[in-house]
Amino acid sequence: MSDFASGSLTGKNLHLSFGPNHVLRGIDLHVEKGTTASVIGPSGSGKSTLLRVMNRLIEPHQGDILLDGRSVLKDNPDELRQRIGMVFQQFNLFPHKTVVDNVSLALRKLRKLPADQARAEALEQLDLVGLKHKADARPANLSGGQQQRVAIARALAMKPEVMFFDEATSALDPELVKGVLALMADLAKGGMTMVVVTHEMGFSRNVSDTVTFMDAGVVVESGPPEQLFTNPRTERLQGFLSDVL
Amino acid sequence: MDALDQLVKTFFDWEAMAAVLPKMITVGLPNTLILAVSSGLLGCILGMVLAVMGTSRIAALRWLSRIYTDVFRGVPAIVIILLIGLGLGPLVRLTTGSTNPFPLAIFALTLMAAAYIGEIFRSGIQSVESGQMEASRALGFSYGSSMRLVVIPQGIRRVLPALVNQFIALIKDSSLVYLLGLLASEREIFRIGNDAAANTGNLSPLIAAAFMYLILTVPLTHLVNYIDNRLRTGRPETKQPDEAAALIGKGAQP
């Protein structure tokens, strides 16, 4: 897997509140084109919310989002989200559609491809994740790992410039985690720009180019993985790492 | 014994039933079906509009849907049919020259059915996990497209049993149109039974009407159970291999 038409992504001073609850308190995150940034931190620290703000599923109350150096806050949010693929913890495949229809739906309805061409492209994506033979199955008849790989194929089919992974392996049985992580590592190696919210410290350390540690809505520490994992400067990161490692 | 004979004759006079049956099947049945099916279909369309309004992010639309539903669900069918049928009848006669009460009866039944069907659809839509909408939006679909392509198709599937129940209620409520005054050719099942009962002074034709309704509704109640079961356990054709093997094994036993 290679030659993604990926781009850089920057979040600048992002703020978000739900009522009195200040969930994001001025987050800065920059992901170079073709690199992988992982975001780690305790639950409730705002990691998943940050992803949803960066593709404007939730509009930030303050701050800016730049894709390839250009602000996208004034763009149509639906068009922005076509350029950013997202993979969820609970897979969220469409259960009423077959596997191949899950992947081809956006190609047909948003890219306006004719049905046979959309199906051919969807099958190609399924082949990349090793599930072409399940094309006509229903998501419910797939294992969690297979469902998540279909979800990745569904996101990739739109040829996104950036991919978001929101704890993509947290809901998987332990023996299925490896396959999905390997696929994500392949994408990273292929030059996809990725933001990976994860509890998999091994992945964060070995695959990502930068690591960002969040706690209570702020970025506490960020830098190359070696620096954060071997030489954490803040007490909060030291405490977090000793809890999870 | 006389009292018992009298009772049997009142309810189960086979001759009276046989006399009314042809009219009931050739005139009453089609008319009942026309009323129930057309108001059922129109009720589904209006009900879907109400459900989409009821789950909208715009508060004013939610309120409109709420008020409509409360009014038309809270008033007895007979009141709505009389108000619409008798109230708008003269207007229809003036503008179109038609005295056929069917369009207004269908209209009244539709308004009422829509309130119930709208609630059924709304509960179906709201039962779809929020992750479905989120995943669809993340792909780049608008709110409307996400509802149309992802959320509503799943919601409808889950409420099919409730929808069939509503249709059964509609078949029964269609009998109320007799209040609007029907020509001989416009009579539905109940009216034909009622007329015959009045003419003969015997209730057997009404028993025949009751049987006609049962012939329509009982299969539908079983359809509800079938759909319900299928939704719960999955499609019958996705039988597990060993299940099929068990069947063969049983047959093969001497």
Side-chain angles (χ1 to χ4, degrees):
Chain A
M1 268 179 234
S2 63
D3 298 329
F4 296 114
S6 55
S8 70
L9 179 73
T10 310
K12 272 188 183 167
N13 190 33
L14 292 167
H15 281 268
L16 180 77
S17 311
F18 295 126
N21 204 354
H22 206 157
V23 186
L24 301 179
R25 305 164 179 253
I27 302 282
D28 290 303
L29 182 74
H30 177 72
V31 195
E32 266 314 319
K33 175 178 153 67
T35 67
T36 295
S38 58
V39 181
I40 60 173
S43 21
S45 57
K47 310 180 297 286
S48 296
T49 309
L50 174 65
L51 288 184
R52 284 161 176 75
V53 165
M54 299 248 283
N55 70 2
R56 293 177 64 198
L57 277 174
I58 307 171
E59 296 286 352
H61 292 154
Q62 198 187 317
D64 202 357
I65 301 159
L66 302 112
L67 194 51
D68 261 340
R70 196 182 64 80
S71 173
V72 291
L73 276 188
K74 296 239 159 33
D75 293 4
N76 177 334
D78 297 332
E79 281 164 23
L80 169 66
R81 284 190 288 266
Q82 293 181 28
R83 302 167 62 191
I84 302 178
M86 186 158 180
V87 176
F88 299 86
Q89 182 177 357
Q90 299 297 343
F91 329 133
N92 294 343
L93 292 179
F94 306 135
H96 61 304
K97 295 193 176 293
T98 61
V99 163
V100 69
D101 286 344
N102 263 273
V103 181
S104 67
L105 183 69
L107 295 173
R108 280 186 291 127
K109 303 288 180 181
L110 293 173
R111 291 261 185 276
K112 309 281 182 205
L113 293 185
D116 51 340
Q117 204 179 329
R119 185 180 164 92
E121 277 198 30
L123 287 174
E124 215 172 284
Q125 292 297 335
L126 284 173
D127 202 20
L128 286 179
V129 301
L131 287 171
K132 196 177 175 182
H133 62 293
K134 293 285 187 187
D136 295 306
R138 296 267 165 178
N141 296 329
L142 267 52
S143 74
Q146 289 173 329
Q147 288 192 48
Q148 194 60 300
R149 283 190 278 156
V150 172
I152 292 172
R154 177 174 72 176
L156 287 176
M158 288 297 281
K159 306 260 187 296
E161 295 156 57
V162 181
M163 282 285 284
F164 287 177
F165 291 86
D166 183 18
E167 302 191 14
T169 58
S170 297
L172 295 177
D173 291 338
E175 74 272 19
L176 302 173
V177 169
K178 220 186 247 176
V180 172
L181 288 180
L183 176 57
M184 289 164 64
D186 276 353
L187 290 178
K189 262 183 248 145
M192 175 59 81
T193 307
M194 314 209 307
V195 184
V196 181
V197 167
T198 186
H199 290 298
E200 294 288 336
M201 293 304 140
F203 181 89
S204 178
R205 184 167 188 164
N206 299 323
V207 179
S208 52
D209 301 285
T210 62
V211 180
T212 298
F213 171 63
M214 276 179 74
D215 191 13
V218 295
V219 172
V220 179
E221 234 180 295
S222 79
E226 275 317 303
Q227 180 192 315
L228 263 79
F229 282 102
T230 55
N231 194 14
R233 284 171 295 144
T234 58
E235 229 170 82
R236 272 198 275 180
L237 178 54
Q238 285 161 13
F240 176 72
L241 289 177
S242 73
D243 283 347
V244 297
L245 289 179
Chain B
M1 276 320 271
D2 267 5
L4 190 62
D5 273 350
Q6 185 61 39
L7 208 60
V8 168
K9 197 144 183 60
T10 303
F11 289 111
F12 297 102
D13 182 337
W14 301 113
E15 273 168 33
M17 283 191 198
V20 79
L21 216 50
K23 266 263 143 27
M24 225 171 236
I25 291 171
T26 56
V27 179
L29 181 64
N31 281 336
T32 292
L33 286 176
I34 287 171
L35 288 166
V37 170
S38 46
S39 57
L41 290 177
L42 293 171
C44 278
I45 295 170
L46 184 55
M48 183 50 77
V49 172
L50 287 166
V52 170
M53 283 169 66
T55 54
S56 164
R57 292 165 299 179
I58 302 163
L61 291 180
R62 284 201 305 276
W63 270 103
L64 265 177
S65 160
R66 191 73 260 150
I67 291 168
Y68 178 96
T69 306
D70 284 349
V71 169
F72 281 92
R73 215 171 40 162
V75 176
I78 194 166
V79 175
I80 294 171
I81 287 176
L82 280 177
L83 285 179
I84 298 277
L86 300 182
L88 300 183
L91 195 72
V92 171
R93 198 162 49 240
L94 268 177
T95 50
T96 65
S98 160
T99 54
N100 186 343
F102 266 38
L104 282 174
I106 290 169
F107 182 52
L109 287 170
T110 297
L111 291 180
M112 205 177 55
Y116 288 95
I117 293 171
E119 285 293 275
I120 291 170
F121 281 151
R122 187 183 57 75
S123 75
I125 287 170
Q126 286 178 335
S127 76
V128 177
E129 299 76 20
S130 61
Q132 292 290 311
M133 170 61 85
E134 197 174 41
S136 175
R137 298 303 307 268
L139 277 172
F141 285 107
S142 64
Y143 176 84
S145 302
S146 300
M147 286 294 273
R148 188 166 50 81
L149 296 169
V150 175
V151 177
I152 289 175
Q154 291 182 57
I156 288 182
R157 256 161 244 237
R158 296 179 194 190
V159 297
L160 275 180
L163 216 50
V164 177
N165 276 333
Q166 198 50 50
F167 185 61
I168 291 171
L170 213 43
I171 289 176
K172 296 185 290 176
D173 282 346
S174 70
S175 61
L176 292 169
V177 299
Y178 87 92
L179 290 161
L180 301 182
L182 301 170
L183 296 178
S185 63
E186 292 165 355
R187 294 182 301 170
E188 37 66 61
I189 295 172
F190 166 73
R191 182 61 196 267
I192 288 174
N194 196 35
D195 284 355
N199 289 341
T200 59
N202 184 296
L203 288 179
S204 303
L206 274 179
I207 295 284
F211 271 114
M212 292 293 291
Y213 282 111
L214 287 177
I215 287 168
L216 290 176
T217 55
V218 170
L220 284 173
T221 57
H222 285 270
L223 178 67
V224 170
N225 294 343
Y226 172 74
I227 296 173
D228 208 24
N229 221 4
R230 214 175 112 150
L231 286 175
R232 222 186 289 285
T233 59
R235 289 147 188 281
E237 57 265 29
T238 58
K239 246 184 200 163
Q240 292 302 309
D242 39 281
E243 221 177 298
L247 276 178
I248 294 166
K250 244 185 224 166
Q253 271 167 8

